[in-house]
Coordinates of all heavy atoms in Angstrom, one line a residue:
E230 N 19.8 -106.9 -63.3 CA 20.8 -105.9 -62.9 C 20.1 -104.8 -62.0 O 20.7 -104.2 -61.1 CB 21.4 -105.3 -64.1 CG 22.4 -104.2 -63.9 CD 23.6 -104.7 -63.1 OE1 23.9 -105.9 -63.1 OE2 24.3 -103.9 -62.4
V231 N 18.9 -104.4 -62.3 CA 18.1 -103.5 -61.5 C 18.0 -103.9 -60.1 O 18.3 -103.2 -59.1 CB 16.7 -103.2 -62.1 CG1 15.9 -102.3 -61.1 CG2 16.8 -102.5 -63.4
C232 N 17.7 -105.2 -59.9 CA 17.5 -105.8 -58.6 C 18.9 -105.8 -57.8 O 19.0 -105.4 -56.7 CB 17.0 -107.2 -58.6 SG 16.6 -107.9 -57.0
R233 N 19.9 -106.1 -58.6 CA 21.3 -106.2 -58.0 C 21.7 -104.8 -57.5 O 22.2 -104.6 -56.4 CB 22.3 -106.6 -59.1 CG 23.7 -106.7 -58.5 CD 24.7 -107.1 -59.6 NE 24.6 -108.5 -59.9 CZ 24.1 -109.1 -61.0 NH1 23.7 -108.2 -62.0 NH2 24.1 -110.4 -61.2
R234 N 21.4 -103.7 -58.3 CA 21.7 -102.4 -57.9 C 20.8 -101.9 -56.7 O 21.4 -101.2 -55.8 CB 21.6 -101.4 -59.1 CG 22.6 -101.8 -60.2 CD 22.7 -100.7 -61.2 NE 23.5 -101.0 -62.3 CZ 23.8 -100.2 -63.3 NH1 23.4 -99.0 -63.3 NH2 24.6 -100.7 -64.3
L235 N 19.6 -102.2 -56.7 CA 18.8 -101.9 -55.6 C 19.3 -102.5 -54.3 O 19.5 -101.8 -53.3 CB 17.3 -102.4 -55.8 CG 16.4 -101.6 -56.8 CD1 15.2 -102.4 -57.1 CD2 16.2 -100.2 -56.4
R236 N 19.6 -103.8 -54.3 CA 20.1 -104.4 -53.1 C 21.5 -103.9 -52.7 O 21.8 -103.7 -51.5 CB 20.1 -105.9 -53.3 CG 18.8 -106.6 -53.5 CD 17.6 -106.0 -52.8 NE 16.4 -106.9 -52.9 CZ 15.2 -106.4 -52.8 NH1 15.0 -105.0 -52.7 NH2 14.1 -107.2 -52.9
G237 N 22.2 -103.6 -53.7 CA 23.6 -103.1 -53.5 C 23.6 -101.7 -52.8 O 24.5 -101.4 -52.0
R238 N 22.5 -100.9 -53.0 CA 22.4 -99.7 -52.3 C 21.6 -99.7 -51.0 O 21.3 -98.7 -50.4 CB 22.0 -98.6 -53.2 CG 20.5 -98.6 -53.6 CD 20.2 -97.6 -54.7 NE 18.8 -97.5 -55.0 CZ 18.2 -96.8 -56.0 NH1 19.1 -96.3 -56.9 NH2 17.0 -96.7 -56.2
G239 N 21.3 -100.9 -50.6 CA 20.6 -101.1 -49.3 C 19.1 -100.9 -49.4 O 18.4 -100.8 -48.4
D240 N 18.5 -101.0 -50.6 CA 17.1 -100.9 -50.9 C 16.5 -102.3 -50.9 O 16.7 -103.1 -51.8 CB 16.8 -100.2 -52.2 CG 15.3 -99.9 -52.4 OD1 14.5 -100.6 -51.8 OD2 15.0 -98.9 -53.2
W241 N 15.7 -102.6 -49.9 CA 15.1 -103.9 -49.8 C 13.6 -103.9 -50.0 O 12.8 -104.7 -49.5 CB 15.4 -104.5 -48.4 CG 16.9 -104.9 -48.3 CD1 17.9 -104.1 -47.9 CD2 17.5 -106.1 -48.8 NE1 19.1 -104.7 -48.1 CE2 18.9 -105.9 -48.6 CE3 17.0 -107.3 -49.3 CZ2 19.8 -106.9 -48.9 CZ3 17.9 -108.2 -49.7 CH2 19.3 -108.1 -49.4
T242 N 13.1 -103.0 -50.8 CA 11.7 -103.0 -51.3 C 11.4 -104.3 -51.9 O 12.2 -104.8 -52.7 CB 11.5 -101.9 -52.3 OG1 11.9 -100.6 -51.8 CG2 10.1 -101.9 -52.8
P243 N 10.3 -105.0 -51.5 CA 9.9 -106.2 -52.1 C 9.9 -106.2 -53.6 O 9.3 -105.3 -54.2 CB 8.6 -106.5 -51.5 CG 8.5 -105.7 -50.2 CD 9.3 -104.5 -50.4
V244 N 10.4 -107.2 -54.2 CA 10.5 -107.3 -55.7 C 9.8 -108.6 -56.1 O 10.1 -109.7 -55.7 CB 11.9 -107.3 -56.2 CG1 12.0 -107.6 -57.7 CG2 12.6 -105.9 -55.9

Side-chain angles (χ1 to χ4, degrees):
E230 181 60 24
V231 171
C232 187
R233 179 182 287 112
R234 294 190 187 188
L235 286 171
R236 299 322 189 211
R238 71 189 191 192
D240 185 336
W241 290 89
T242 303
V244 170

